[in-house]
Amino acid sequence: MGVRLAFLPCCSLEPHRRNWTLFVIQDANGLRFSADDLARMLVGTGARSGPLYRQLSESLTELIERGELPQGAALPPERALAQALTVSRTTVVAAYQALREQGLLERRQGSGTRVSADRARETVSGLAGDHAASQFLNGPLATIDFATAALPSLDLVADVAAGLTRDDYLRLTGTHHGYHLRGLPALRERIARWYSDAGMPTAPEDILITSGAQQALELVARGCLQPGDGVVVEQPTYRGALEAFGRTGNRLRTVRIDDEGLDVIALEKLLATESPRLVYVQTAAHNPTGVVLSDDRRQRLTRLLDQHEVVLVDDTSLAGTSFDGRPSAPALTTHERLVTIGSMSKLFWGGLRLGWIRAVPQVVSRLAQVRGITDLGSSLVAQEVALRLMDHRDAAEAERRTALPTGLRTLTELLDRHLPDWTWREPQAGASLWVRLPQGDATHFAQIALRYGVALLPGAVFSADGSTDDHTRLPYSLPTATMSQGVTRLAQAWTDYLNRATVDVTLTSAVT
Ligand SMILES: Cc1ncc(COP(=O)(O)O)c(C=O)c1O
């Protein structure tokens, strides 16, 4: 395995700044990367060797060439970056100097070091920086990947796909030009029937098939929100939702979650004092905590829809992964302001790239129009496979119900043995453990972990204000050997991290 360059931000300059605030800035000349932002982005660059300054300049070049550091963007001052990466200031000075000589950076009077306009790529404003999709953009990390909590595919997916015959394909290709903006009619009908059978009366007109739940979130953000609208999210929550809702320039408010899920009473109070346009929740199974909303709170949440003019978005992407076998169809209610999001990714396979929105037909039509601007529909071949998979939901859920708790047990036993101070709340569903670090913060620990060959996501990326950075998320659907090696390395990294913290404290008291 090549040596991976990992930089350690030892002191947090803007610890609670959210990276996705970058997404609302349109003018690259206004883009300013803090030292912590850049430290996180450097984690995603390739493994290098040689003198540190050269490793740093090569990694920065990679970010510039990928367009993630776009032309005109301001880099942090040398001293700040050196502190954030625990390298000497000379290292950063030499790296910036090398890039200036290559014409990639320039120093402007009064505005510090910027990416040169003539050499760097122009970038789409929404794609600069560190974001949920970066893990999937840059190929597999040369490390143990604890940063992704995707579930492995079930063999069922291959079996069902292999069962499609030439006649099936001819029926598909021979009857229609293939542009079904709202989705394959038979699949919309099948999903509607699944909801109806579970007690949520649904018609095919209420379903819009999307290219994954992530696209569904983006469509809802674009179709239901105006810039400046208030959006309430759980704390913590799914990172991709923060990006979708944060990108449209909306004000984010948070409500905490506990063992029973969203604190609905706190939400009620918030709705009484502010008038957010949209509330985003995960009632069926929550990423990253694995909590399932209790029945009591579910009913209370439902009643809120009658009392407040708010759009409730229930992201049920993880439905079907609960350990107790509760019915996977999420039964909130039927309401004109309820938008339910579903996905094939968790129960079956993310590679199908299929999800859906369930809403009243007017909302479905509006969101289909929004979708048509960038995408004229999802693959009908994938939808044909999904249609057949819907008949195997029970078998798929049973398989997940066995595998996920087993993986969870393996991971928690490893943590008990190697990291006995780390704590967590037992998840009831999903594929990830929300772990609390006994001290320090995960953004900085993640940098050390990377030096030991483990990539993980700091808790800050799962919250609207970065305040959950005393947590990290660990996946338990990986092979046992990978989890075992990963936790062993994490334990070594943790010892190293604690030793550094002790050194820091000693040095500080010597100075003061
Ligand atoms: C809560 C939640 N919503 C949406 C998504 C996106 O899913 P999809 O693969 O269907 O786009 C994920 C994926 O991790 C998720 O956890």
Side-chain angles (χ1 to χ4, degrees), residues 136 149-150 210-217 238 240-241 280 282 285-287 315-318 341-346 349-351 353-355 473:
F136 305 120
T210 59
S211 297
Q214 187 61 41
Q215 185 186 49
L217 285 167
Y238 169 54
Y280 169 76
Q282 296 177 59
H286 182 267
N287 178 6
D315 182 347
T316 64
S317 294
L318 274 81
I341 291 174
S343 174
M344 300 296 285
S345 293
K346 309 296 172 180
W349 185 43
R353 300 311 312 129
L354 285 179
R473 183 189 72 172

PDB file of all heavy atoms in Angstrom, residues 136 149-150 210-217 238 240-241 280 282 285-287 315-318 341-346 349-351 353-355 473, ligand 1:
ATOM      1  N   PHE A 136     -17.334   9.181  -4.009  1.00  0.00           N
ATOM      2  CA  PHE A 136     -17.629   8.383  -5.186  1.00  0.00           C
ATOM      3  C   PHE A 136     -16.958   8.952  -6.442  1.00  0.00           C
ATOM      4  O   PHE A 136     -16.869   8.291  -7.450  1.00  0.00           O
ATOM      5  CB  PHE A 136     -19.140   8.295  -5.401  1.00  0.00           C
ATOM      6  CG  PHE A 136     -19.859   7.768  -4.189  1.00  0.00           C
ATOM      7  CD1 PHE A 136     -20.816   8.534  -3.545  1.00  0.00           C
ATOM      8  CD2 PHE A 136     -19.552   6.525  -3.670  1.00  0.00           C
ATOM      9  CE1 PHE A 136     -21.461   8.062  -2.424  1.00  0.00           C
ATOM     10  CE2 PHE A 136     -20.197   6.045  -2.540  1.00  0.00           C
ATOM     11  CZ  PHE A 136     -21.150   6.811  -1.916  1.00  0.00           C
ATOM     12  N   ALA A 149     -21.061   4.267   4.032  1.00  0.00           N
ATOM     13  CA  ALA A 149     -21.896   3.294   4.752  1.00  0.00           C
ATOM     14  C   ALA A 149     -22.899   2.632   3.798  1.00  0.00           C
ATOM     15  O   ALA A 149     -24.006   2.278   4.183  1.00  0.00           O
ATOM     16  CB  ALA A 149     -22.618   3.979   5.916  1.00  0.00           C
ATOM     17  N   ALA A 150     -22.470   2.466   2.534  1.00  0.00           N
ATOM     18  CA  ALA A 150     -23.368   1.831   1.556  1.00  0.00           C
ATOM     19  C   ALA A 150     -23.472   0.337   1.868  1.00  0.00           C
ATOM     20  O   ALA A 150     -22.527  -0.264   2.383  1.00  0.00           O
ATOM     21  CB  ALA A 150     -22.821   2.037   0.163  1.00  0.00           C
ATOM     22  N   THR A 210     -37.257   8.417  -9.571  1.00  0.00           N
ATOM     23  CA  THR A 210     -36.089   9.303  -9.702  1.00  0.00           C
ATOM     24  C   THR A 210     -34.808   8.465  -9.832  1.00  0.00           C
ATOM     25  O   THR A 210     -34.823   7.263  -9.560  1.00  0.00           O
ATOM     26  CB  THR A 210     -35.942  10.200  -8.450  1.00  0.00           C
ATOM     27  OG1 THR A 210     -35.790   9.348  -7.301  1.00  0.00           O
ATOM     28  CG2 THR A 210     -37.157  11.089  -8.263  1.00  0.00           C
ATOM     29  N   SER A 211     -33.743   9.137 -10.228  1.00  0.00           N
ATOM     30  CA  SER A 211     -32.453   8.443 -10.285  1.00  0.00           C
ATOM     31  C   SER A 211     -31.836   8.483  -8.890  1.00  0.00           C
ATOM     32  O   SER A 211     -30.926   9.264  -8.610  1.00  0.00           O
ATOM     33  CB  SER A 211     -31.540   9.100 -11.323  1.00  0.00           C
ATOM     34  OG  SER A 211     -32.135   8.967 -12.586  1.00  0.00           O
ATOM     35  N   GLY A 212     -32.388   7.682  -8.008  1.00  0.00           N
ATOM     36  CA  GLY A 212     -31.922   7.617  -6.619  1.00  0.00           C
ATOM     37  C   GLY A 212     -32.626   8.643  -5.741  1.00  0.00           C
ATOM     38  O   GLY A 212     -33.213   9.621  -6.221  1.00  0.00           O
ATOM     39  N   ALA A 213     -32.553   8.396  -4.425  1.00  0.00           N
ATOM     40  CA  ALA A 213     -33.174   9.308  -3.463  1.00  0.00           C
ATOM     41  C   ALA A 213     -32.441  10.643  -3.433  1.00  0.00           C
ATOM     42  O   ALA A 213     -33.019  11.673  -3.094  1.00  0.00           O
ATOM     43  CB  ALA A 213     -33.171   8.671  -2.076  1.00  0.00           C
ATOM     44  N   GLN A 214     -31.163  10.625  -3.792  1.00  0.00           N
ATOM     45  CA  GLN A 214     -30.427  11.894  -3.779  1.00  0.00           C
ATOM     46  C   GLN A 214     -31.025  12.855  -4.796  1.00  0.00           C
ATOM     47  O   GLN A 214     -31.191  14.036  -4.525  1.00  0.00           O
ATOM     48  CB  GLN A 214     -28.940  11.642  -4.067  1.00  0.00           C
ATOM     49  CG  GLN A 214     -28.055  12.857  -3.907  1.00  0.00           C
ATOM     50  CD  GLN A 214     -28.066  13.432  -2.481  1.00  0.00           C
ATOM     51  OE1 GLN A 214     -28.051  12.674  -1.510  1.00  0.00           O
ATOM     52  NE2 GLN A 214     -28.124  14.743  -2.361  1.00  0.00           N
ATOM     53  N   GLN A 215     -31.370  12.332  -5.976  1.00  0.00           N
ATOM     54  CA  GLN A 215     -32.005  13.211  -6.959  1.00  0.00           C
ATOM     55  C   GLN A 215     -33.365  13.680  -6.444  1.00  0.00           C
ATOM     56  O   GLN A 215     -33.763  14.832  -6.647  1.00  0.00           O
ATOM     57  CB  GLN A 215     -32.188  12.503  -8.310  1.00  0.00           C
ATOM     58  CG  GLN A 215     -32.731  13.453  -9.362  1.00  0.00           C
ATOM     59  CD  GLN A 215     -33.074  12.783 -10.685  1.00  0.00           C
ATOM     60  OE1 GLN A 215     -33.757  11.752 -10.712  1.00  0.00           O
ATOM     61  NE2 GLN A 215     -32.599  13.366 -11.767  1.00  0.00           N
ATOM     62  N   ALA A 216     -34.061  12.793  -5.752  1.00  0.00           N
ATOM     63  CA  ALA A 216     -35.360  13.177  -5.191  1.00  0.00           C
ATOM     64  C   ALA A 216     -35.203  14.384  -4.260  1.00  0.00           C
ATOM     65  O   ALA A 216     -35.979  15.342  -4.314  1.00  0.00           O
ATOM     66  CB  ALA A 216     -35.968  11.990  -4.447  1.00  0.00           C
ATOM     67  N   LEU A 217     -34.170  14.345  -3.425  1.00  0.00           N
ATOM     68  CA  LEU A 217     -33.939  15.456  -2.487  1.00  0.00           C
ATOM     69  C   LEU A 217     -33.649  16.753  -3.238  1.00  0.00           C
ATOM     70  O   LEU A 217     -34.155  17.828  -2.894  1.00  0.00           O
ATOM     71  CB  LEU A 217     -32.744  15.132  -1.583  1.00  0.00           C
ATOM     72  CG  LEU A 217     -33.016  14.105  -0.489  1.00  0.00           C
ATOM     73  CD1 LEU A 217     -31.714  13.628   0.130  1.00  0.00           C
ATOM     74  CD2 LEU A 217     -33.907  14.724   0.578  1.00  0.00           C
ATOM     75  N   TYR A 238     -28.640  13.191   7.446  1.00  0.00           N
ATOM     76  CA  TYR A 238     -27.951  12.702   6.253  1.00  0.00           C
ATOM     77  C   TYR A 238     -27.244  13.870   5.560  1.00  0.00           C
ATOM     78  O   TYR A 238     -27.859  14.890   5.256  1.00  0.00           O
ATOM     79  CB  TYR A 238     -28.984  12.038   5.332  1.00  0.00           C
ATOM     80  CG  TYR A 238     -28.491  11.725   3.951  1.00  0.00           C
ATOM     81  CD1 TYR A 238     -27.346  10.966   3.749  1.00  0.00           C
ATOM     82  CD2 TYR A 238     -29.179  12.187   2.831  1.00  0.00           C
ATOM     83  CE1 TYR A 238     -26.894  10.688   2.472  1.00  0.00           C
ATOM     84  CE2 TYR A 238     -28.741  11.906   1.545  1.00  0.00           C
ATOM     85  CZ  TYR A 238     -27.599  11.155   1.384  1.00  0.00           C
ATOM     86  OH  TYR A 238     -27.139  10.882   0.121  1.00  0.00           O
ATOM     87  N   GLY A 240     -26.091  14.319   2.560  1.00  0.00           N
ATOM     88  CA  GLY A 240     -26.556  14.709   1.219  1.00  0.00           C
ATOM     89  C   GLY A 240     -27.783  15.619   1.284  1.00  0.00           C
ATOM     90  O   GLY A 240     -27.999  16.455   0.397  1.00  0.00           O
ATOM     91  N   ALA A 241     -28.590  15.480   2.349  1.00  0.00           N
ATOM     92  CA  ALA A 241     -29.765  16.349   2.498  1.00  0.00           C
ATOM     93  C   ALA A 241     -29.316  17.755   2.878  1.00  0.00           C
ATOM     94  O   ALA A 241     -29.852  18.751   2.387  1.00  0.00           O
ATOM     95  CB  ALA A 241     -30.711  15.787   3.556  1.00  0.00           C
ATOM     96  N   TYR A 280     -37.401  18.304   7.135  1.00  0.00           N
ATOM     97  CA  TYR A 280     -36.837  17.072   6.561  1.00  0.00           C
ATOM     98  C   TYR A 280     -36.559  16.075   7.679  1.00  0.00           C
ATOM     99  O   TYR A 280     -35.805  16.373   8.612  1.00  0.00           O
ATOM    100  CB  TYR A 280     -35.534  17.395   5.816  1.00  0.00           C
ATOM    101  CG  TYR A 280     -34.748  16.159   5.418  1.00  0.00           C
ATOM    102  CD1 TYR A 280     -35.138  15.368   4.341  1.00  0.00           C
ATOM    103  CD2 TYR A 280     -33.622  15.766   6.139  1.00  0.00           C
ATOM    104  CE1 TYR A 280     -34.420  14.231   3.988  1.00  0.00           C
ATOM    105  CE2 TYR A 280     -32.897  14.630   5.789  1.00  0.00           C
ATOM    106  CZ  TYR A 280     -33.305  13.869   4.710  1.00  0.00           C
ATOM    107  OH  TYR A 280     -32.602  12.741   4.362  1.00  0.00           O
ATOM    108  N   GLN A 282     -36.269  11.575   8.846  1.00  0.00           N
ATOM    109  CA  GLN A 282     -36.151  10.174   8.403  1.00  0.00           C
ATOM    110  C   GLN A 282     -36.878   9.328   9.446  1.00  0.00           C
ATOM    111  O   GLN A 282     -36.302   9.029  10.491  1.00  0.00           O
ATOM    112  CB  GLN A 282     -34.690   9.749   8.339  1.00  0.00           C
ATOM    113  CG  GLN A 282     -33.843  10.490   7.331  1.00  0.00           C
ATOM    114  CD  GLN A 282     -32.391  10.031   7.415  1.00  0.00           C
ATOM    115  OE1 GLN A 282     -32.094   8.856   7.241  1.00  0.00           O
ATOM    116  NE2 GLN A 282     -31.502  10.946   7.699  1.00  0.00           N
ATOM    117  N   ALA A 285     -35.917   4.788   9.272  1.00  0.00           N
ATOM    118  CA  ALA A 285     -34.600   4.362   9.763  1.00  0.00           C
ATOM    119  C   ALA A 285     -33.676   5.512   9.444  1.00  0.00           C
ATOM    120  O   ALA A 285     -33.690   6.024   8.335  1.00  0.00           O
ATOM    121  CB  ALA A 285     -34.136   3.101   9.044  1.00  0.00           C
ATOM    122  N   HIS A 286     -32.900   5.901  10.430  1.00  0.00           N
ATOM    123  CA  HIS A 286     -32.202   7.178  10.332  1.00  0.00           C
ATOM    124  C   HIS A 286     -30.707   7.010  10.048  1.00  0.00           C
ATOM    125  O   HIS A 286     -30.024   6.229  10.715  1.00  0.00           O
ATOM    126  CB  HIS A 286     -32.412   7.917  11.675  1.00  0.00           C
ATOM    127  CG  HIS A 286     -31.809   9.272  11.730  1.00  0.00           C
ATOM    128  ND1 HIS A 286     -30.544   9.499  12.225  1.00  0.00           N
ATOM    129  CD2 HIS A 286     -32.291  10.472  11.358  1.00  0.00           C
ATOM    130  CE1 HIS A 286     -30.286  10.795  12.152  1.00  0.00           C
ATOM    131  NE2 HIS A 286     -31.331  11.401  11.633  1.00  0.00           N
ATOM    132  N   ASN A 287     -30.239   7.725   9.056  1.00  0.00           N
ATOM    133  CA  ASN A 287     -28.812   7.805   8.758  1.00  0.00           C
ATOM    134  C   ASN A 287     -28.308   9.123   9.337  1.00  0.00           C
ATOM    135  O   ASN A 287     -28.845  10.158   8.994  1.00  0.00           O
ATOM    136  CB  ASN A 287     -28.602   7.786   7.235  1.00  0.00           C
ATOM    137  CG  ASN A 287     -27.145   7.922   6.836  1.00  0.00           C
ATOM    138  OD1 ASN A 287     -26.254   7.927   7.668  1.00  0.00           O
ATOM    139  ND2 ASN A 287     -26.905   8.037   5.545  1.00  0.00           N
ATOM    140  N   ASP A 315     -37.774  11.092   4.409  1.00  0.00           N
ATOM    141  CA  ASP A 315     -36.818  10.320   3.609  1.00  0.00           C
ATOM    142  C   ASP A 315     -36.738   8.913   4.192  1.00  0.00           C
ATOM    143  O   ASP A 315     -36.148   8.691   5.250  1.00  0.00           O
ATOM    144  CB  ASP A 315     -35.453  11.015   3.644  1.00  0.00           C
ATOM    145  CG  ASP A 315     -34.406  10.295   2.792  1.00  0.00           C
ATOM    146  OD1 ASP A 315     -34.646   9.150   2.385  1.00  0.00           O
ATOM    147  OD2 ASP A 315     -33.339  10.895   2.547  1.00  0.00           O
ATOM    148  N   THR A 316     -37.348   7.957   3.498  1.00  0.00           N
ATOM    149  CA  THR A 316     -37.402   6.577   4.002  1.00  0.00           C
ATOM    150  C   THR A 316     -36.456   5.677   3.210  1.00  0.00           C
ATOM    151  O   THR A 316     -36.727   4.485   3.050  1.00  0.00           O
ATOM    152  CB  THR A 316     -38.838   6.036   3.917  1.00  0.00           C
ATOM    153  OG1 THR A 316     -39.198   5.979   2.529  1.00  0.00           O
ATOM    154  CG2 THR A 316     -39.823   6.921   4.652  1.00  0.00           C
ATOM    155  N   SER A 317     -35.353   6.260   2.749  1.00  0.00           N
ATOM    156  CA  SER A 317     -34.414   5.485   1.921  1.00  0.00           C
ATOM    157  C   SER A 317     -33.966   4.194   2.588  1.00  0.00           C
ATOM    158  O   SER A 317     -33.700   3.201   1.921  1.00  0.00           O
ATOM    159  CB  SER A 317     -33.168   6.318   1.630  1.00  0.00           C
ATOM    160  OG  SER A 317     -33.497   7.399   0.830  1.00  0.00           O
ATOM    161  N   LEU A 318     -33.860   4.215   3.929  1.00  0.00           N
ATOM    162  CA  LEU A 318     -33.359   3.025   4.628  1.00  0.00           C
ATOM    163  C   LEU A 318     -34.473   2.072   5.061  1.00  0.00           C
ATOM    164  O   LEU A 318     -34.214   1.118   5.795  1.00  0.00           O
ATOM    165  CB  LEU A 318     -32.534   3.442   5.851  1.00  0.00           C
ATOM    166  CG  LEU A 318     -31.067   3.743   5.588  1.00  0.00           C
ATOM    167  CD1 LEU A 318     -30.897   5.150   5.038  1.00  0.00           C
ATOM    168  CD2 LEU A 318     -30.238   3.594   6.841  1.00  0.00           C
ATOM    169  N   ILE A 341     -39.944  10.035   0.390  1.00  0.00           N
ATOM    170  CA  ILE A 341     -38.881   9.635  -0.546  1.00  0.00           C
ATOM    171  C   ILE A 341     -38.496   8.188  -0.262  1.00  0.00           C
ATOM    172  O   ILE A 341     -38.390   7.788   0.909  1.00  0.00           O
ATOM    173  CB  ILE A 341     -37.652  10.567  -0.383  1.00  0.00           C
ATOM    174  CG1 ILE A 341     -38.017  11.962  -0.884  1.00  0.00           C
ATOM    175  CG2 ILE A 341     -36.437  10.025  -1.113  1.00  0.00           C
ATOM    176  CD1 ILE A 341     -36.944  13.004  -0.658  1.00  0.00           C
ATOM    177  N   GLY A 342     -38.337   7.401  -1.310  1.00  0.00           N
ATOM    178  CA  GLY A 342     -37.922   6.001  -1.154  1.00  0.00           C
ATOM    179  C   GLY A 342     -36.736   5.702  -2.050  1.00  0.00           C
ATOM    180  O   GLY A 342     -36.365   6.519  -2.905  1.00  0.00           O
ATOM    181  N   SER A 343     -36.130   4.536  -1.852  1.00  0.00           N
ATOM    182  CA  SER A 343     -34.938   4.194  -2.637  1.00  0.00           C
ATOM    183  C   SER A 343     -34.810   2.681  -2.769  1.00  0.00           C
ATOM    184  O   SER A 343     -35.215   1.923  -1.886  1.00  0.00           O
ATOM    185  CB  SER A 343     -33.701   4.742  -1.937  1.00  0.00           C
ATOM    186  OG  SER A 343     -32.531   4.304  -2.593  1.00  0.00           O
ATOM    187  N   MET A 344     -34.218   2.247  -3.866  1.00  0.00           N
ATOM    188  CA  MET A 344     -33.869   0.828  -4.034  1.00  0.00           C
ATOM    189  C   MET A 344     -32.446   0.559  -3.519  1.00  0.00           C
ATOM    190  O   MET A 344     -31.997  -0.577  -3.488  1.00  0.00           O
ATOM    191  CB  MET A 344     -33.906   0.433  -5.521  1.00  0.00           C
ATOM    192  CG  MET A 344     -35.226   0.598  -6.230  1.00  0.00           C
ATOM    193  SD  MET A 344     -36.532  -0.466  -5.571  1.00  0.00           S
ATOM    194  CE  MET A 344     -36.056  -2.062  -6.242  1.00  0.00           C
ATOM    195  N   SER A 345     -31.731   1.632  -3.157  1.00  0.00           N
ATOM    196  CA  SER A 345     -30.286   1.516  -2.909  1.00  0.00           C
ATOM    197  C   SER A 345     -29.938   0.705  -1.679  1.00  0.00           C
ATOM    198  O   SER A 345     -28.937   0.006  -1.654  1.00  0.00           O
ATOM    199  CB  SER A 345     -29.662   2.897  -2.749  1.00  0.00           C
ATOM    200  OG  SER A 345     -29.713   3.595  -3.951  1.00  0.00           O
ATOM    201  N   LYS A 346     -30.702   0.858  -0.602  1.00  0.00           N
ATOM    202  CA  LYS A 346     -30.299   0.257   0.668  1.00  0.00           C
ATOM    203  C   LYS A 346     -30.776  -1.186   0.763  1.00  0.00           C
ATOM    204  O   LYS A 346     -30.015  -2.071   1.133  1.00  0.00           O
ATOM    205  CB  LYS A 346     -30.846   1.070   1.834  1.00  0.00           C
ATOM    206  CG  LYS A 346     -30.537   2.537   1.736  1.00  0.00           C
ATOM    207  CD  LYS A 346     -29.045   2.792   1.796  1.00  0.00           C
ATOM    208  CE  LYS A 346     -28.739   4.256   1.501  1.00  0.00           C
ATOM    209  NZ  LYS A 346     -27.325   4.547   1.545  1.00  0.00           N
ATOM    210  N   TRP A 349     -29.698  -2.527  -3.958  1.00  0.00           N
ATOM    211  CA  TRP A 349     -28.364  -2.187  -4.445  1.00  0.00           C
ATOM    212  C   TRP A 349     -28.324  -0.746  -4.941  1.00  0.00           C
ATOM    213  O   TRP A 349     -29.196  -0.334  -5.734  1.00  0.00           O
ATOM    214  CB  TRP A 349     -27.978  -3.125  -5.601  1.00  0.00           C
ATOM    215  CG  TRP A 349     -26.582  -2.947  -6.105  1.00  0.00           C
ATOM    216  CD1 TRP A 349     -25.448  -2.775  -5.357  1.00  0.00           C
ATOM    217  CD2 TRP A 349     -26.170  -2.905  -7.480  1.00  0.00           C
ATOM    218  NE1 TRP A 349     -24.347  -2.640  -6.179  1.00  0.00           N
ATOM    219  CE2 TRP A 349     -24.758  -2.721  -7.478  1.00  0.00           C
ATOM    220  CE3 TRP A 349     -26.828  -3.035  -8.700  1.00  0.00           C
ATOM    221  CZ2 TRP A 349     -24.017  -2.651  -8.666  1.00  0.00           C
ATOM    222  CZ3 TRP A 349     -26.094  -2.965  -9.869  1.00  0.00           C
ATOM    223  CH2 TRP A 349     -24.694  -2.783  -9.851  1.00  0.00           C
ATOM    224  N   GLY A 350     -27.283  -0.007  -4.497  1.00  0.00           N
ATOM    225  CA  GLY A 350     -27.148   1.392  -4.891  1.00  0.00           C
ATOM    226  C   GLY A 350     -26.908   1.563  -6.391  1.00  0.00           C
ATOM    227  O   GLY A 350     -27.224   2.593  -6.973  1.00  0.00           O
ATOM    228  N   GLY A 351     -26.342   0.503  -7.009  1.00  0.00           N
ATOM    229  CA  GLY A 351     -26.017   0.588  -8.433  1.00  0.00           C
ATOM    230  C   GLY A 351     -27.227   0.624  -9.347  1.00  0.00           C
ATOM    231  O   GLY A 351     -27.100   0.925 -10.535  1.00  0.00           O
ATOM    232  N   ARG A 353     -29.442   2.785  -9.034  1.00  0.00           N
ATOM    233  CA  ARG A 353     -29.673   4.227  -9.103  1.00  0.00           C
ATOM    234  C   ARG A 353     -31.153   4.548  -9.287  1.00  0.00           C
ATOM    235  O   ARG A 353     -31.545   5.296 -10.178  1.00  0.00           O
ATOM    236  CB  ARG A 353     -28.835   4.899 -10.228  1.00  0.00           C
ATOM    237  CG  ARG A 353     -27.347   4.753 -10.112  1.00  0.00           C
ATOM    238  CD  ARG A 353     -26.763   5.098  -8.745  1.00  0.00           C
ATOM    239  NE  ARG A 353     -27.228   6.361  -8.194  1.00  0.00           N
ATOM    240  CZ  ARG A 353     -27.725   6.471  -6.939  1.00  0.00           C
ATOM    241  NH1 ARG A 353     -27.810   5.441  -6.123  1.00  0.00           N
ATOM    242  NH2 ARG A 353     -28.127   7.628  -6.507  1.00  0.00           N
ATOM    243  N   LEU A 354     -31.964   3.974  -8.445  1.00  0.00           N
ATOM    244  CA  LEU A 354     -33.404   4.242  -8.524  1.00  0.00           C
ATOM    245  C   LEU A 354     -33.984   4.586  -7.167  1.00  0.00           C
ATOM    246  O   LEU A 354     -33.676   3.944  -6.161  1.00  0.00           O
ATOM    247  CB  LEU A 354     -34.148   3.019  -9.073  1.00  0.00           C
ATOM    248  CG  LEU A 354     -34.019   2.749 -10.563  1.00  0.00           C
ATOM    249  CD1 LEU A 354     -34.795   1.499 -10.935  1.00  0.00           C
ATOM    250  CD2 LEU A 354     -34.510   3.932 -11.399  1.00  0.00           C
ATOM    251  N   GLY A 355     -34.793   5.618  -7.167  1.00  0.00           N
ATOM    252  CA  GLY A 355     -35.548   5.983  -5.983  1.00  0.00           C
ATOM    253  C   GLY A 355     -36.884   6.517  -6.438  1.00  0.00           C
ATOM    254  O   GLY A 355     -37.240   6.390  -7.618  1.00  0.00           O
ATOM    255  N   ARG A 473     -19.086   8.294  12.354  1.00  0.00           N
ATOM    256  CA  ARG A 473     -20.001   7.232  11.913  1.00  0.00           C
ATOM    257  C   ARG A 473     -19.181   6.055  11.406  1.00  0.00           C
ATOM    258  O   ARG A 473     -18.310   6.226  10.560  1.00  0.00           O
ATOM    259  CB  ARG A 473     -20.885   7.772  10.774  1.00  0.00           C
ATOM    260  CG  ARG A 473     -21.923   6.782  10.300  1.00  0.00           C
ATOM    261  CD  ARG A 473     -22.620   7.261   9.036  1.00  0.00           C
ATOM    262  NE  ARG A 473     -21.745   7.192   7.879  1.00  0.00           N
ATOM    263  CZ  ARG A 473     -22.142   7.408   6.625  1.00  0.00           C
ATOM    264  NH1 ARG A 473     -23.392   7.723   6.367  1.00  0.00           N
ATOM    265  NH2 ARG A 473     -21.290   7.312   5.619  1.00  0.00           N
TER     266      ARG A 473
HETATM  267  C1  LIG B   1     -31.041   9.021   4.208  1.00  0.00           C
HETATM  268  C2  LIG B   1     -30.556   8.905   2.790  1.00  0.00           C
HETATM  269  N1  LIG B   1     -31.224   9.530   1.822  1.00  0.00           N
HETATM  270  C3  LIG B   1     -30.834   9.449   0.543  1.00  0.00           C
HETATM  271  C4  LIG B   1     -29.720   8.721   0.176  1.00  0.00           C
HETATM  272  C5  LIG B   1     -29.325   8.643  -1.273  1.00  0.00           C
HETATM  273  O1  LIG B   1     -29.702   7.378  -1.754  1.00  0.00           O
HETATM  274  P1  LIG B   1     -29.696   6.962  -3.279  1.00  0.00           P
HETATM  275  O2  LIG B   1     -28.615   5.965  -3.443  1.00  0.00           O
HETATM  276  O3  LIG B   1     -31.057   6.357  -3.513  1.00  0.00           O
HETATM  277  O4  LIG B   1     -29.500   8.199  -4.093  1.00  0.00           O
HETATM  278  C6  LIG B   1     -28.983   8.055   1.159  1.00  0.00           C
HETATM  279  C7  LIG B   1     -27.759   7.314   0.812  1.00  0.00           C
HETATM  280  O5  LIG B   1     -26.889   7.098   1.612  1.00  0.00           O
HETATM  281  C8  LIG B   1     -29.412   8.150   2.502  1.00  0.00           C
HETATM  282  O6  LIG B   1     -28.752   7.531   3.488  1.00  0.00           O
END
